[in-house]
Amino acid sequence: MARYKTKAEKRQVRRYRIRKKVVGGAVRPRISVYRSLNHIYAQLIDDAEGETLASASWKSLPKSFKGTKTAQANEVGKRLAAAAEKAGIKACVFDRAGYLYHGRVQALAEGAREGGLTF
């Protein structure tokens, strides 16, 4: 029996398990989330073509933005939804990349839904 020692290795196992099931296409691209210690990034990926259709990150927020990391994630989700709307995307699938659907990952998803994406 394999024994996973670090938190990162456990996340990789969860990430691979999720990616076996979640596939994005041109009609419903995949929202890929990356959460670092201080920031959050998200992009819409068409897995069939292997290209990024839209993206948003904490870098796209104005310097005057004040708020917690959860509020930051919510705003990134809204900006991702706006970028998706410009690209003509309304529906997608959510790939949490091995992170728990809680806290900042959940806030990003809710922000994307508030912005008009459906998943």
Side-chain angles (χ1 to χ4, degrees):
M1 185 164 117
R3 187 154 248 217
Y4 305 105
K5 296 179 183 164
T6 65
K7 187 185 275 191
E9 288 172 338
K10 289 178 186 178
R11 183 184 149 253
Q12 281 295 86
V13 170
R14 287 192 305 268
R15 183 173 160 252
Y16 294 144
R17 187 172 59 229
I18 291 166
R19 283 291 289 124
K20 282 192 286 188
K21 301 171 189 172
V22 177
V23 178
V27 178
R28 289 188 61 173
R30 172 174 58 96
I31 294 181
S32 177
V33 176
Y34 175 70
R35 187 193 74 188
S36 72
L37 189 62
N38 293 314
H39 305 296
I40 195 156
Y41 309 82
Q43 53 186 344
L44 284 165
I45 301 170
D46 177 2
D47 288 320
E49 295 294 321
E51 62 182 17
T52 299
L53 305 173
S55 65
S57 73
W58 65 276
K59 292 179 183 179
S60 64
L61 299 178
K63 297 276 185 199
S64 61
F65 181 81
K66 299 290 183 208
T68 62
K69 290 189 276 188
T70 306
Q72 178 190 52
N74 191 297
E75 188 64 28
V76 167
K78 289 178 185 175
R79 288 179 184 264
L80 180 67
E85 191 174 329
K86 284 183 184 175
I89 299 164
K90 295 183 181 183
C92 59
V93 293
F94 191 75
D95 175 14
R96 59 188 174 92
Y99 301 111
L100 295 178
Y101 187 79
H102 183 271
R104 290 189 284 158
V105 175
Q106 183 178 3
L108 187 139
E110 289 172 354
R113 285 189 185 109
E114 287 172 21
L117 282 176
T118 56
F119 52 92

